Every structure is written in C-alpha cells, then in structure tokens.
Amino acid sequence: MIKTLFSFNFGNKSCSTQELKQSISFLDQCLELKKVSDQARYKEERVGKGGLIHPQYLISLLNKYAEDDVVFTGDGGSQLVWLVRHIDANGKRSLLHGTMANAMPKALGIQKAFPNRQVIAIGGDGGLAMSLGDLLTTIQEK
C-alpha cells in the first residue's frame, strides 16, 4: 500500500497531512472546550438572589454596551480575572493590565492621549484608595 503525504506550508513551518489532521483535531478540541467554558460563563452573568449584582454580571454588561474599540484597564487581582473572562475580544478592543492600583491612572493617561476613545477602568477599593492622589491631580489640571 502506498501512503501519499501532502505538504502544507504555514509561514516558515511545513507539515504533512497527518500533522495537519492532528492540528485540526487539537483545534476542534479547543473549540469544544470553549463551548463548555462559555456555557459556564453565561451562568455567571446574571443577577443574583435578591437582585444582587455580581461583578461577573457587571462586567458582562460593560462588554455588551461598551464601544467596539473601547480600552479597558484593570488592576491586578479578581477584577482582572473578570475582565479576561467576561470581555469579548473583537480585534479592536484593548485590555491593559498591571499590578495593584494602576487601572485608573492608566485610564486617565489613555483618555488624555485618545480623547475620542472610550476608556473604562476596573479597579478594586484598595486600588482606588491608592490612586486618589492621581484623581486629585486630574481634577486640578482639568
């Protein structure tokens, strides 16, 4: 029996038919995992008991109503996890993150550089407390 292998080129790497099939199989597995992950995500994106608004729901609303080219900034910690998990990428949006207490100062700088672009900062209570000086300076400098 003669086995024919075709060669496909992807950038600098070529792969055989068998390798391509394995790659496609891996991609199919990833797509299936994404479906399962999205189902779990959608369960988190709802109002809680007694009308309680969970952070995941709030971020999903920001995702839904934010502009297509919005810039999100996030402090390190839980809020960053919520952003990464509940904000859809579309090729135009940006997500900038870092350590504690950088979301608001970063957002202020981005807004100054791009005044016509929507910028949303997600930070925690500690991050806000640590960057109140930045907020004061912004108000003073108008």
Side-chain angles (χ1 to χ4, degrees), residues 4-5 21 30 35 41 48 53-54 60-61 65 80 90-91 102-104 106 117 131 135:
T4 306
L5 292 178
K21 286 180 184 176
C30 289
K35 283 182 193 175
R41 172 185 153 184
I53 298 176
H54 291 287
S60 74
L61 291 175
Y65 294 107
L80 182 58
N90 66 3
N102 74 57
M104 188 178 61
K106 198 176 288 186
R117 196 156 175 198
S131 37
L135 187 57

Side-chain angles (χ1 to χ4, degrees), residues 19-111:
E19 290 171 319
L20 183 62
K21 286 180 184 176
Q22 288 172 346
S23 293
I24 291 171
S25 173
F26 173 74
L27 291 175
D28 287 340
Q29 290 172 359
C30 289
L31 289 172
E32 187 59 36
L33 286 172
K34 173 138 178 40
K35 283 182 193 175
V36 171
S37 176
D38 283 346
Q39 289 170 352
R41 172 185 153 184
Y42 299 142
K43 288 180 183 176
E44 295 174 352
E45 295 176 348
R46 60 177 79 155
V47 177
K49 292 180 183 177
L52 184 65
I53 298 176
H54 291 287
Q56 297 90 331
Y57 178 62
L58 176 65
I59 301 297
S60 74
L61 291 175
L62 290 173
N63 180 53
K64 183 177 179 179
Y65 294 107
E67 294 178 7
D68 283 343
D69 67 342
V70 64
V71 177
F72 289 99
T73 64
D75 286 344
S78 298
Q79 54 273 24
L80 182 58
V81 174
W82 300 325
L83 281 170
V84 170
R85 183 154 169 79
H86 298 278
I87 296 294
D88 294 323
N90 66 3
K92 298 176 190 173
R93 290 180 166 185
S94 299
L95 170 59
L96 302 171
H97 60 86
T99 59
M100 196 166 46
N102 74 57
M104 188 178 61
K106 198 176 288 186
L108 293 170
I110 294 166
Q111 191 68 75

